Amino acid sequence: MVLEKNFRKYSHVVVTGGAGFIGSHLCEEYLKQGAAVTAIDNLVTGSFKNIAKLEGTKGFRFIEHDISASMPDVGEFDLMLHFACPASPVDFAKMPLEILKVDSLGTFNSLDAATKAKARYVLASTSEVYGDPLEHPQKESYWGNVNSIGDRSCYDEAKRFGETLCVNFAKQHGVAVKTARPFNNYGPGLKITDGRLIPDFARDILSGRDIVMLSDGTPTRTFCYSADAIQGYMKILVKGAPGEAYNIGTETPEISVAELAEKMIALSRELFGYRGKLERKQSRDKEYLIDNPNRRCPVIEKARSHLGYEPVISLDEGLRRSLIWYSGNRDAEEK
């Protein structure tokens, strides 16, 4: 990954959720920039496998800890990236209270630590703050359409509250807080058991089964490959304005769930000789389907003009890389 070489003034970076999918990539990239990195994770959904290759690297430290209870003493630091939170629809049903705690108490504790350290801070929020949007595509100025008592509310509303905490910490304490709103990140390191669309479809493909689609296939999304997402998060820290939120994702192609499945089938036939087909099977309950947004697509003009952010990995290339990675990492089914 090619990134700007303007991170040199930062000597110590703290990544909460540092053993997670995106958090582990951030740890690796900041180590490449020459910073010391402390990863904090309670390993509820993160995996030590994601950071195993970093063990023994000069400047890297891992602390197993739940930041919902408190922040561990990490010494002086310049940057904090708060990426600690279960983020899969599977997690919403299994651990809603843990999600609410880490996005409220955990966010407060990490913001408090960043305030005392006079460090820059980035919150990993989510495109879920827009809910099932009535405005399409979604700009950062859109306030959202969220069901506060629905099956996804533990995540959606917790992230909205986390953004409010950030804005008010910035106002009251002057901490340099910026917010990222990711849109459907995917790529190597995302567990095949995660429950999101791309790893779900990859799991079916690599097991030789037909792809099972759990909706009518009409909802649309755009997907952002992990390397493009990481570029965006790092740019927010350097160029983002305190108190501001930035969509990080891709504007095109907006693709339906059914089209995504067919694309992955075609790629897998080419790569692995896959012989399966698409099976439609609406098996999730009605409430889940109501809460699941019908369309989700960002406007990234703010990130493009303010940060110089521009995703470069096409969906075809990102899916190809992901399928090859899943094929070579079959133990990704394990935690």
Side-chain angles (χ1 to χ4, degrees), residues 210-270:
D210 291 341
I211 283 186
V212 177
M213 187 171 62
L214 299 176
S215 73
D216 63 4
T218 59
T220 63
R221 299 287 186 272
T222 61
F223 295 90
C224 184
Y225 189 66
S226 53
D228 282 332
I230 296 301
Q231 175 208 160
Y233 305 139
M234 296 179 80
K235 283 177 177 288
I236 287 174
L237 270 170
V238 174
K239 298 182 178 180
E244 293 291 327
Y246 297 90
N247 288 339
I248 298 297
T250 57
E251 293 174 323
T252 58
E254 185 180 348
I255 186 171
S256 73
V257 173
E259 291 169 332
L260 174 70
E262 294 290 4
K263 185 179 286 290
M264 291 183 69
I265 287 171
L267 281 168
S268 300
R269 285 175 180 159
E270 175 191 334

Side-chain angles (χ1 to χ4, degrees), residues 88 90 190-195 199-200 203 332-335:
S88 163
V90 173
L190 180 59
K191 288 188 297 185
I192 205 167
T193 53
D194 176 81
D200 259 5
R203 193 179 189 189
E333 294 216 21
E334 303 170 11
K335 184 174 178 181

Side-chain angles (χ1 to χ4, degrees), residues 32-110:
K32 289 179 182 177
Q33 295 289 338
V37 173
T38 297
I40 304 171
D41 203 300
N42 65 357
L43 302 180
V44 169
T45 56
S47 173
F48 188 76
K49 291 180 181 179
N50 289 334
I51 55 173
K53 64 181 179 181
L54 303 180
E55 281 291 290
T57 302
K58 182 180 178 182
F60 180 72
R61 172 176 51 163
F62 172 66
I63 299 174
E64 185 175 348
H65 187 81
D66 181 2
I67 66 166
S68 299
S70 65
M71 281 296 294
D73 184 5
V74 298
E76 295 183 0
F77 62 94
D78 311 287
L79 305 179
M80 179 177 285
L81 297 103
H82 180 35
F83 277 71
C85 181
S88 163
V90 173
D91 301 328
F92 304 164
K94 288 182 176 179
M95 53 186 78
L97 295 180
E98 290 86 343
I99 290 170
L100 285 160
K101 284 175 67 176
V102 75
D103 280 322
S104 56
L105 297 173
T107 303
F108 186 95
N109 290 337
S110 59

